[in-house]
Amino acid sequence: MQFFTILLPIFCIFIVGFIAQKALKFDIANLSKMSLYVLSPFLAFKTFYTHTLTIDYLYYILYIVLLCFILIGIISLWSFIAKYNTKERCAMVLCSCFMNNGNYGTPVILVFFGALGFELAVIMMVLQQFIMSTVGIYYAAKGSDYQDGVSQKDVIMKVIRMPVAYGALLGIVFQLCQIPLSPAILMPIAMIGDSSIVVIMIILGMQLAKLTIKQLEYSKLGVALLVRMIISPLIALGLVYFMPIEFMYKQILIVLAAMPAAANTTLLSVQFNTKPELVSSATLFSTILSLITLPIVLWLTGVPIPF
């Protein structure tokens, strides 16, 4: 029951957003813009400022970059075979290649691996945040105006204009330069940043309220779920085999690779209009499916499950 207790608050927040959208009909695009441009940069700054960079980050950076681009390669190959257009391919990348290592992954790791495992989960959350702020935004922007034939330069400029990565880089600079921030400054930064987590999840619930059964693209959704929930942890298994880290850390990296799609992908897909219906449905169904797949992955990696 402990496993399901962890996940219950996540589904409750989705439901709040779902009901709010059905009842009040919010402008989801403007809410997502507010979260992406105002709240998320503060979260990125706080995350990178408060977590000390060590030499181990090099191993974890290499791991998460390789995992991300191998998954992108798989999706790109399938998109070529299935003859997807650029918008569809980019949406599939958002669905499949970025996992929810934050509000979902960290509490799961804390329960099953304790404080030491939680520290690694936080590090991976930080790195995943940076990948989402760069690679994720690139693919969201690339798929946004495909019909208008935007150039590669236009896509790069959209990425450059996004403030999330700058928040992360500023946090790194402040940490490396050991620039102290008083509680009076750090507290509002943390409050604004932390609020983005809940807002993103509420926006996902709102986006789900707009879905209908007819809108679900079952073939694309099936591929996205297969890559995100099964292929991703298998690739992670191969990658960690060569990493000179403790066995428990290898277990954690495999489990994190099996997490459902990141809620941030819905935010990006709404902001750039990169098939938000597909991306949000993949996030929802991967989260539901994880109730089955995550216990299996935990068991296969040798972790006892306290049901």
Side-chain angles (χ1 to χ4, degrees), residues 105-125:
T106 49
V108 170
I109 297 302
L110 178 62
V111 167
F112 291 105
F113 294 93
L116 287 177
F118 181 75
E119 290 180 5
L120 176 56
V122 170
I123 290 173
M124 297 310 297
M125 178 189 71

Side-chain angles (χ1 to χ4, degrees), residues 197-307:
I197 299 172
V198 176
V199 170
I200 289 168
M201 296 171 71
I202 290 176
I203 290 173
L204 173 58
M206 290 178 173
Q207 183 62 35
L208 294 173
K210 298 177 64 177
L211 284 178
T212 64
I213 297 298
K214 292 181 180 179
Q215 287 180 306
L216 294 178
E217 301 181 64
Y218 293 102
S219 60
K220 295 183 180 68
L221 183 59
V223 173
L225 293 176
L226 176 66
V227 173
R228 174 85 304 281
M229 309 306 295
I230 298 177
I231 294 178
S232 177
L234 289 176
I235 293 172
L237 176 64
L239 290 176
V240 301
Y241 180 82
F242 300 99
M243 292 178 64
I245 57 176
E246 294 182 19
F247 178 71
M248 184 186 77
Y249 293 156
K250 293 183 178 183
Q251 290 176 300
I252 292 170
L253 293 180
I254 295 170
V255 172
L256 288 174
M259 293 294 163
N264 299 52
T265 57
T266 295
L267 189 70
L268 294 175
S269 67
V270 170
Q271 178 61 35
F272 290 98
N273 194 30
T274 308
K275 297 187 73 65
E277 295 82 8
L278 173 61
V279 177
S280 58
S281 60
T283 304
L284 173 66
F285 282 102
S286 63
T287 303
I288 295 173
L289 187 62
S290 68
L291 298 175
I292 300 172
T293 58
L294 265 182
I296 294 174
V297 172
L298 286 163
W299 176 70
L300 289 175
T301 54
V303 181
I305 305 174
F307 283 114

Side-chain angles (χ1 to χ4, degrees), residues 49 52-53 170-181:
Y49 177 72
T52 305
L53 298 174
L170 193 61
I172 293 172
V173 170
F174 269 57
Q175 182 193 143
L176 294 179
C177 295
Q178 297 183 336
I179 300 174
L181 292 178

Side-chain angles (χ1 to χ4, degrees), residues 85-91 143-146 272-275:
N85 62 34
T86 299
K87 181 181 283 287
E88 291 171 326
R89 178 172 67 87
C90 291
S144 62
D145 298 312
Y146 170 65
F272 290 98
N273 194 30
T274 308
K275 297 187 73 65

